[in-house]
C-alpha cells in the first residue's frame, strides 16, 4: 500500500484531536499538512455528551449536533470543515504499530503513515470486568461506555428491554450519570459500588450523601460496600442476574459497567518516557522523543499551580492541552516561545436536573456550606478544601454562571483562611467577594 506522508499527524480522533485541529487552523496550516487518524467512524465530537443527552429519550443529542468545539461554546467542526481546510480525516482507521524512531505509524489495514511531528491523542479505554476474569462478564447486554458505538449499542438494548431492570456497576461520575439516564428511560435502576459512598475520589461523605439521597428519592436503589463477582445469563446468552460478593443476587436485563479507565499508551511502550501511568511531557506537551507530543488523557504533565506532575482525565484539559501543544509546535517552528501550561483543574458532571462543578485540588480539610439535604429546593451547596491555611479547591452544586466563575477564581487565587467556622458561615459569599 502506498505510504502517506504529512507534516503533522494526530493519532486519535477524540476531543483533544478536534481542538488541536481548530488550533492548527487558527495558527495557519496548509492543505495536506495535517492528518487525523481515528479508530472511530465519526469526526471528533464532545465525548461527555455520550453519558448525558445522547442517551435521553427526549431532547436527544445526535451528531452532527455535538461535534467539537460546541462543548466550549465554539464553532462546530463538521466533516466538511476539515475538507475545506485540507485536513485529512482518516476515520475507522486503527493504528496498530508505532515506530517513533522511524516516524512511522501502521494501521490495522496495513497503511503506512509518515510524519514530521506527531501528536498522541489516543485517550483512554475502559477497564472491563472480563479483564479480571469475572464469571459471566462476557454475557450479552453488559455494556461499557467510551465511544459512540458503545452508546448506540446501549440505546438499542434500552429500546429492546423497555421498562426492564438495569444494574449499574460502579459509583464514579459515569456510573452516576448512567444511573440517572437509565432511570429517565424508565428502567428500574440499581447501582452497586464497593466504596462507602459514591465518587470517593472527589466527593466527601457530605457531598455524596446529597447525591445518594437524591437518587434514592428518584427510586434508584443504591447498594454500597460490595462488588459484582459474577453474572448469569439465559439460554440466549443475555445477562439475567448480577451476583454480588455479599451473596445478594440482583435481577438484570441490562448491566452497565463504569469502573474506570486507563490511558491508551501501549502503542508507544518502551519508546517514550512514562510517568504516573501516562506519557511524560513538559509544560508544552513535548514528550521525551523529539517531535512527539502527547495531549489529553494520555499526558502526564507539570501542574504548575500545585507544583506537581499529574495526569488529568477531564474534557477541559483535553481541549486546553491540545491547544497548548499546537501553539508550542507552531512557536518552535518560528523560533518563538510561549508561556508554560498553567492549568487549573476543572471537572463537572450533570445528571437529572443537577449540575456540579469542581475547581482546584481536593486535599486538606473540608468545609461544607449550604444545605446538602437532598430534599432542599432548589439544591445549592458546596465544599471548600483548605490546605496550609489556603483554599485550594471548591465544589458547587447548581451554581449560576457567575457563581461558577467565582469558585474558579477562588481555586486559582488560593486565598488565605484563618477560621474554618467563619468560612462555613460565609459559604458562597466568600467566593463571590474574591
Ligand atoms: C461517557 C463519558 C463521559 C464523560 N463525561 C465527562 C464530563 O462530564 N466532564 C469531564 O470533564 N470529562 C468527561 N469525560 C472525560 C473526557 O471525555 C475525556 O477526558 C476526553 O474525551 C479526553 O480526550 P482525549 O482526546 O484525550 O481522548 P478521547 O476523547 O477519548 O479520544 C481518543 C480517540 O483516540 C482514538 N484512538 C485510540 N487509540 C487509537 C488507535 N490506536 N488508532 C486510532 N485511533 C485511536 C479513540 O477511538 C478516540 O477517538 C467523559 C468521558 C466519557 C467516556
Amino acid at each position: 500500500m502506498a505510504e502517506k506522508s504529512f507534516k503533522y499527524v494526530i493519532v486519535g480522533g477524540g476531543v483533544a484531536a478536534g481542538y488541536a485541529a481548530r488550533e492548527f487552523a487558527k495558527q495557519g496550516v496548509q492543505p495536506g499538512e495535517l492528518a487525523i487518524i481515528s479508530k472511530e467512524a465519526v469526526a471528533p465530537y464532545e465525548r461527555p455528551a455520550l453519558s448525558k443527552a445522547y442517551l435521553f429519550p427526549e431532547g436527544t443529542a445526535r451528531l452532527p449536533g455535538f461535534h467539537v468545539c460546541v462543548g466550549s461554546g465554539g464553532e462546530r467542526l463538521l466533516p466538511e470543515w476539515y475538507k475545506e481546510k485540507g485536513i485529512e480525516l482518516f476515520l475507522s482507521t486503527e493504528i496498530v504499530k508505532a515506530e517513533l524512531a522511524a516516524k512511522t505509524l501502521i494501521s490495522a489495514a496495513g497503511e503506512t503513515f509518515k510524519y514530521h511531528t506527531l501528536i498522541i491523542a489516543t485517550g483512554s479505554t475502559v477497564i472491563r470486568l472480563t479483564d479480571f476474569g469475572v464469571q459471566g462478564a462476557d454475557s450479552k447486554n453488559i455494556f461499557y461506555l467510551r465511544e459512540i458505538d458503545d452508546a448506540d449499542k446501549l440505546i438499542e438494548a434500552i429500546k429492546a428491554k423497555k421498562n426492564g431492570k438495569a444494574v449499574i456497576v460502579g459509583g464514579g461520575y459515569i456510573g452516576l450519570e448512567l444511573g440517572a439516564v437509565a432511570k429517565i428511560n424508565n428502567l428500574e435502576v440499581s447501582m452497586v459500588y464497593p466504596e462507602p459512598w459514591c465518587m470517593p475520589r472527589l466527593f466527601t461523605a457530605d457531598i455524596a450523601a446529597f447525591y445518594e439521597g437524591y437518587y434514592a428519592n428518584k427510586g434508584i436503589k443504591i447498594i454500597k460496600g460490595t462488588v459484582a463477582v459474577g453474572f448469569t445469563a439465559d439460554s440466549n446468552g443475555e445477562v439475567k442476574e448480577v451476583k454480588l460478593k455479599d451473596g445478594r443476587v440482583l435481577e438484570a436485563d441490562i448491566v452497565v459497567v463504569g469502573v474506570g479507565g486507563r490511558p491508551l499508551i501501549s502503542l508507544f511502550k518502551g519508546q517514550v518516557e512514562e510517568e504516573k501511568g501516562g506519557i511524560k511531557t513538559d509544560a508544552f506537551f513535548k514528550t521525551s522523543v523529539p517531535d512527539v507530543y502527547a495531549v489529553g488523557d494520555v499526558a502526564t504533565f507539570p501542574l504548575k499551580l500545585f507544583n506537581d506532575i499529574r495526569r488529568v482525565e477531564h474534557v477541559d484539559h483535553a481541549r486546553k492541552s491540545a491547544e497548548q501543544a499546537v501553539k508550542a509546535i507552531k512557536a518552535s517552528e518560528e523560533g518563538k516561545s510561549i508561556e508554560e501550561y498553567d492549568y487549573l483543574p476543572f471537572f463537572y458532571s450533570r445528571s437529572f436536573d443537577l449540575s456540579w462543578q469542581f475547581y482546584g485540588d481536593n486535599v486538606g480539610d473540608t468545609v461544607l456550606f449550604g444545605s446538602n439535604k437532598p430534599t432542599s429546593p432548589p439544591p445549592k451547596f458546596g465544599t471548600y478544601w483548605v490546605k496550609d491555611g489556603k483554599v485550594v479547591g471548591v465544589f458547587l452544586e447548581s451554581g449560576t454562571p457567575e457563581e461558577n466563575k467565582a469558585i474558579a477564581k477562588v481555586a486559582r487565587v488560593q486565598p488565605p483562611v484563618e477560621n474554618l467556622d467563619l468560612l462555613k458561615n460565609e459559604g458562597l459569599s466568600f467566593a463571590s467577594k474574591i
Side-chain angles (χ1 to χ4, degrees), residues 19 31 61 122 125 146 170 220 232 246 257 259 264 278 288 297 412:
Y19 280 76
T122 41
T125 185
R146 182 76 208 176
I220 294 176
T232 50
D246 66 7
V257 183
V259 293
L264 268 174
S288 59
D297 283 8
R412 169 63 78 181

Side-chain angles (χ1 to χ4, degrees), residues 11-17 37-40 47-48 50-52 93-95 121-124 145-147 173-174 177 264 267 295-297 313-315 318 347-349:
V11 58
V15 174
I37 307 173
S38 180
K39 189 156 67 62
E40 290 187 85
R47 193 163 310 281
L50 293 185
S51 51
K52 305 176 182 69
T93 305
E94 185 178 7
I95 295 300
T122 41
S124 303
L145 186 57
R146 182 76 208 176
E147 300 189 344
Y173 75 93
I174 298 261
E177 291 182 1
L264 268 174
L267 279 175
V295 295
D297 283 8
E313 292 180 3
H314 303 161
V315 72
F347 190 36
Y348 72 92
S349 178

Side-chain angles (χ1 to χ4, degrees), residues 2 4 21 56 64 92 121 149 173 201 221 228 250 290 380 392 421 425:
K4 295 185 174 72
F56 288 176
S92 305
D149 278 359
Y173 75 93
R201 277 163 58 193
K221 188 172 163 191
L250 306 175
K380 172 105 29 153
V392 294
D421 292 330
N425 287 339

Side-chain angles (χ1 to χ4, degrees), residues 4-15:
K4 295 185 174 72
S5 188
F6 297 91
K7 187 168 181 190
Y8 313 105
V9 165
I10 303 173
V11 58
V15 174

Side-chain angles (χ1 to χ4, degrees), residues 72-371:
S72 57
E75 186 196 349
R76 198 166 44 132
L77 309 184
L78 303 174
E80 300 84 70
W81 179 87
Y82 297 87
K83 219 173 253 164
E84 276 163 28
K85 302 281 173 204
I87 298 170
E88 291 229 34
L89 272 183
F90 293 94
L91 300 177
S92 305
T93 305
E94 185 178 7
I95 295 300
V96 292
K97 196 168 177 199
E99 292 169 3
L100 299 184
K103 295 194 160 194
T104 301
L105 304 172
I106 296 161
S107 76
E111 293 156 293
T112 300
F113 295 90
K114 291 278 203 185
Y115 58 82
H116 177 269
T117 301
L118 176 69
I119 300 182
I120 301 172
T122 41
S124 303
T125 185
V126 291
I127 294 172
R128 291 175 183 270
L129 296 179
T130 43
D131 297 345
F132 309 107
V134 173
Q135 179 216 347
D138 55 354
S139 304
K140 289 182 194 151
N141 294 335
I142 299 183
F143 298 98
Y144 298 83
L145 186 57
R146 182 76 208 176
E147 300 189 344
I148 206 158
D149 278 359
D150 304 323
D152 289 337
K153 285 179 199 149
L154 179 57
I155 289 167
E156 283 312 304
I158 291 172
K159 280 186 194 148
K161 302 290 176 186
K162 233 176 175 6
N163 306 323
K165 294 185 169 69
V167 175
I168 311 293
V169 176
Y173 75 93
I174 298 261
L176 285 167
E177 291 182 1
L178 288 171
V181 285
K183 188 72 204 171
I184 293 167
N185 277 286
N186 274 326
L187 295 166
E188 192 183 317
V189 182
S190 304
M191 293 186 62
V192 186
Y193 41 91
E195 296 91 356
W197 62 78
C198 61
M199 284 278 299
R201 277 163 58 193
L202 173 62
F203 287 2
T204 62
D206 284 334
I207 296 176
F210 169 83
Y211 295 97
E212 289 176 353
Y214 194 97
Y215 274 49
N217 291 342
K218 291 274 184 192
I220 294 176
K221 188 172 163 191
I222 294 183
I223 301 163
K224 301 189 272 185
T226 190
V227 290
V229 289
F231 301 90
T232 50
D234 63 14
S235 54
N236 295 324
E238 293 186 352
V239 69
K240 269 290 134 218
E241 287 172 343
V242 183
K243 292 189 261 177
L244 304 183
K245 194 171 183 183
D246 66 7
R248 275 183 279 184
V249 174
L250 306 175
E251 287 178 39
D253 300 299
I254 293 176
V255 173
V256 193
V257 183
V259 293
R262 85 167 78 82
L264 268 174
I265 60 168
S266 53
L267 279 175
F268 313 99
K269 276 259 169 247
Q271 303 184 61
V272 62
E273 222 174 293
E274 290 179 26
E275 178 121 21
K276 295 189 173 172
I279 296 175
K280 189 178 175 188
T281 75
D282 64 9
F284 308 99
F285 294 97
K286 239 176 146 155
T287 70
S288 59
V289 178
D291 304 321
V292 178
Y293 292 71
V295 295
D297 283 8
V298 296
T300 304
F301 62 96
L303 215 159
K304 203 171 165 181
L305 190 61
F306 307 142
N307 196 19
D308 198 2
I309 289 174
R310 302 236 180 130
R311 204 172 58 74
V312 173
E313 292 180 3
H314 303 161
V315 72
D316 179 59
H317 161 69
R319 295 166 180 156
K320 291 179 174 153
S321 59
E323 289 167 355
Q324 172 77 353
V326 174
K327 282 181 188 144
I329 290 167
K330 284 294 193 179
S332 78
E333 285 172 3
E334 293 160 15
K336 293 185 189 152
S337 60
I338 62 163
E339 298 268 306
E340 289 181 340
Y341 192 58
D342 186 10
Y343 185 61
L344 169 69
F346 163 51
F347 190 36
Y348 72 92
S349 178
R350 289 194 296 270
S351 59
F352 294 117
D353 45 4
L354 303 173
S355 169
W356 59 257
Q357 298 204 352
F358 168 79
Y359 294 86
D361 212 3
N362 59 325
V363 289
D365 296 325
T366 58
V367 175
L368 175 77
F369 59 87
S371 169

